[in-house]
Amino acid sequence: MVKQLQDELQQEKRKNDLLQKVSFELTKFAPLPKRLNNILKFLDRSFNLNHTILLIPNKKASTLEVLASRGFKQKGIGAQIPYNYGLLGMVASHKKKIRISRLSQYKHYIAASGGEKAGGKIPQNFPRLENAESLVAFPLVVNNDLVAVLSCESEDILFFSYADEELLLSLSQQIALSIQNAMIYEELEERVKKRTAALQQINETKDHLFSIIAHDLRSPLSALEAIAELFEFYKQKRDYQKMLYLGHEISATSRRISLLLDNLLNWSLSQNQQIRCNPVRINLNLLLAEVIALFNHFLEKKHIACEIKEKNVAEVFADYTMCFSIFRNIISNAIKYTPQNGYIEISFQKLENSLVIIVKDNGIGMDKTIQANLFSLKHRVSKPGTNSEKGTGLGLMLVKEFTELNNGALEIESSAKGTSVKIFLPLE
């Protein structure tokens, strides 16, 4: 009787001592992988568990993934097994402890250790003992939710006493909470990183937009101011021919400012997800004719021929305003980089579910550096046109975004002999 009381007292003392140690160990700040490895080290020191693994359920609760292991030559980090697959899968699905000795007599353990079974195959790098004879596996649960599965193996048939098993069970709640807290912290940290990156991107976008407004908008406004002064000068001299010419220049400059402001507004709305796609059936022949009419002055000034090669009616199912912006930017770019007496051709190619609109010019094209940064606001590169026309670099980015919003695609091929822009838009 005295011996029994002494043993119980000794066991209680050990339990309290372990509770203090585990509390101290688990309150240490550490990322999830390090926290899991620290737990396995603690179990090794406290219970002499030399071969252990911790498996975490995925978000869909269909598989277990090894995130930490100790005592195995092949750690097998990342190896997965399905729920209800072998012994460890049973622990996960039923949330019940398993203790088995003489494992060599159980064929189904082979499946849990890396063998085949109907419905799948366990990865060969799954951490296991080739001559394991004993296994104890615990579900680590918080509020009836499985947080992890702890598996302990040994070549010794009686490697783990029932007293130690009960003691470890009493610690399992704290271990589970520690793992859960580390997982929550890691998830929150990841969210903070993503949010910080998003805010940084927004801030960079804002800075670049202000740069465009400050630099690229100032240039045409200054030109407009200079034209107005010249207009007043020629008015006083009654040189009506030059006044008429300046009138065309005022119109052209105003259109450039209008295009820039429109692109800035659309880009800002798209970045804040405040622009909606309302697809309708569009007659592209009419839309393109309307876009080309906007640039008649520029085409005449550079003696550029711009024509739609195919006269058959071409229709797509897309947002009209976005399509207008798409082709206005593409044709504007083609005019800008096409030399005097050049040409711009627009053709169609019908595919099974989409229409390809090809805008081809014989302009100066783009080098590899410009092509590599076409859709980067941060590294935007916009070279002057053949008549020193200015650009913002926003146009093609807007074309890409609007095309994708309409379930389409954009392809650009460019060389020193010219550029070909392909827009894929849905037929239905």
Side-chain angles (χ1 to χ4, degrees):
M1 186 67 178
V2 174
K3 178 69 166 63
Q4 183 180 349
L5 288 172
Q6 286 177 338
D7 289 343
E8 287 178 2
L9 184 61
Q10 188 66 27
Q11 185 67 7
E12 191 64 27
K13 184 180 177 182
R14 186 182 176 215
K15 178 181 177 180
N16 291 332
D17 183 49
L18 283 174
L19 280 171
Q20 287 181 356
K21 286 181 179 178
V22 77
S23 296
F24 175 75
E25 195 72 35
L26 298 181
T27 51
K28 291 179 181 177
F29 170 77
L32 181 61
K34 190 173 181 180
R35 174 70 59 90
L36 297 178
N37 283 314
N38 287 344
I39 289 170
L40 294 185
K41 287 179 184 178
F42 170 79
L43 295 177
D44 192 356
R45 291 196 307 267
S46 303
F47 297 97
N48 196 29
L49 301 177
N50 300 317
H51 299 89
T52 50
I53 57 175
L54 274 169
L55 303 98
I56 306 295
N58 67 0
K59 291 182 179 179
K60 294 182 179 178
S62 58
T63 60
L64 294 168
E65 181 179 352
V66 178
L67 287 192
S69 69
R70 185 169 175 82
F72 296 96
K73 291 181 181 179
Q74 288 183 321
K75 291 186 177 181
I77 302 300
Q80 297 183 4
I81 59 167
Y83 275 43
N84 282 319
Y85 202 111
L87 297 176
L88 300 184
M90 288 172 60
V91 172
S93 58
H94 298 294
K95 299 176 190 173
K96 299 290 184 182
K97 170 184 68 71
I98 283 182
R99 179 189 179 103
I100 295 181
S101 297
R102 302 188 185 279
L103 275 169
S104 57
Q105 298 178 15
Y106 290 86
K107 290 184 179 180
H108 61 273
Y109 174 69
I110 297 172
S113 305
E116 295 184 13
K117 185 180 177 181
K121 190 173 182 179
I122 298 298
Q124 290 299 317
N125 68 331
F126 194 87
R128 64 195 185 278
L129 282 176
E130 295 295 337
N131 301 315
E133 284 294 342
S134 299
L135 175 136
V136 178
F138 299 88
L140 303 178
V141 179
V142 176
N143 296 328
N144 204 37
D145 291 328
L146 182 71
V147 175
V149 171
L150 169 66
S151 174
C152 317
E153 294 181 350
S154 176
E155 295 176 356
D156 185 357
I157 294 174
L158 300 172
F159 85 109
F160 197 52
S161 70
Y162 284 99
D164 281 353
E165 183 182 319
E166 289 299 319
L167 189 50
L168 186 52
L169 272 173
S170 66
L171 301 175
S172 64
Q173 178 79 6
Q174 280 182 281
I175 295 172
L177 278 169
S178 174
I179 294 173
Q180 188 181 61
N181 289 338
M183 291 169 70
I184 291 170
Y185 179 83
E186 194 170 75
E187 186 177 343
L188 288 173
E189 194 173 46
E190 187 62 30
R191 286 184 186 179
V192 169
K193 284 181 182 178
K194 287 180 179 178
R195 183 61 178 161
T196 302
L199 288 172
Q200 186 176 355
Q201 179 65 35
I202 290 169
N203 197 47
E204 287 178 0
T205 301
K206 178 201 69 177
D207 290 343
H208 288 304
L209 285 174
F210 280 136
S211 173
I212 290 168
I213 292 168
H215 180 269
D216 297 322
L217 189 56
R218 182 186 299 169
S219 179
L221 284 173
S222 298
L224 199 59
E225 187 178 355
I227 291 170
E229 289 176 359
L230 280 172
F231 191 89
E232 186 63 30
F233 174 76
Y234 289 125
K235 179 185 173 185
Q236 292 175 4
K237 296 190 74 172
R238 297 190 178 186
D239 190 338
Y240 299 113
Q241 193 66 32
K242 288 184 177 177
M243 286 173 64
L244 184 62
Y245 171 78
L246 288 174
H248 288 302
E249 288 299 307
I250 289 171
S251 176
T253 305
S254 298
R255 284 184 181 179
R256 281 199 294 270
I257 293 172
S258 176
L259 177 61
L260 172 57
L261 289 174
D262 191 53
N263 281 347
L264 284 169
L265 176 61
N266 285 328
W267 175 255
S268 178
L269 290 173
S270 69
Q271 294 305 293
N272 291 307
Q273 299 179 340
Q274 293 179 10
I275 196 162
R276 297 186 181 278
C277 182
N278 299 304
V280 294
R281 189 155 298 285
I282 299 171
N283 183 327
L284 278 179
N285 303 69
L286 295 177
L287 184 145
L288 286 166
E290 191 178 348
V291 172
I292 292 169
L294 283 175
F295 297 102
N296 277 339
H297 171 70
F298 300 98
L299 292 166
E300 289 172 5
K301 188 176 180 181
K302 296 180 79 171
H303 303 287
I304 295 172
C306 181
E307 63 173 340
I308 303 171
K309 290 183 69 177
E310 297 171 24
K311 304 303 179 184
N312 294 330
V313 175
E315 290 187 338
V316 293
F317 189 68
D319 185 285
Y320 187 90
T321 305
M322 290 187 190
C323 282
F324 196 91
S325 180
I326 287 169
F327 293 109
R328 185 173 62 170
N329 277 289
I330 291 173
I331 292 173
S332 174
N333 275 353
I335 295 169
K336 187 188 303 178
Y337 298 114
T338 299
Q340 295 282 336
N341 303 311
Y343 69 85
I344 299 169
E345 292 180 350
I346 303 171
S347 59
F348 308 125
Q349 182 183 349
K350 195 172 183 179
L351 303 180
E352 185 177 353
N353 299 313
S354 62
L355 183 74
V356 188
I357 303 94
I358 306 161
V359 181
K360 185 178 180 181
D361 64 60
N362 68 335
I364 57 176
M366 297 176 283
D367 60 32
K368 291 182 180 179
T369 302
I370 291 176
Q371 289 186 58
N373 295 290
L374 275 179
F375 308 113
S376 170
L377 187 62
K378 186 176 181 180
H379 304 289
R380 67 187 183 94
V381 180
S382 180
K383 66 179 180 179
T386 53
N387 277 7
S388 300
E389 300 98 323
K390 300 288 185 180
T392 66
L394 273 182
L396 281 178
M397 285 190 286
L398 204 59
V399 167
K400 184 176 185 293
E401 289 209 12
F402 280 2
T403 303
E404 290 174 352
L405 281 172
N406 282 278
N407 297 315
L410 168 68
E411 289 182 5
I412 298 175
E413 297 175 3
S414 189
S415 68
K417 295 181 179 180
T419 300
S420 175
V421 180
K422 295 181 180 179
I423 300 291
F424 297 74
L425 291 173
L427 292 169
E428 300 291 341

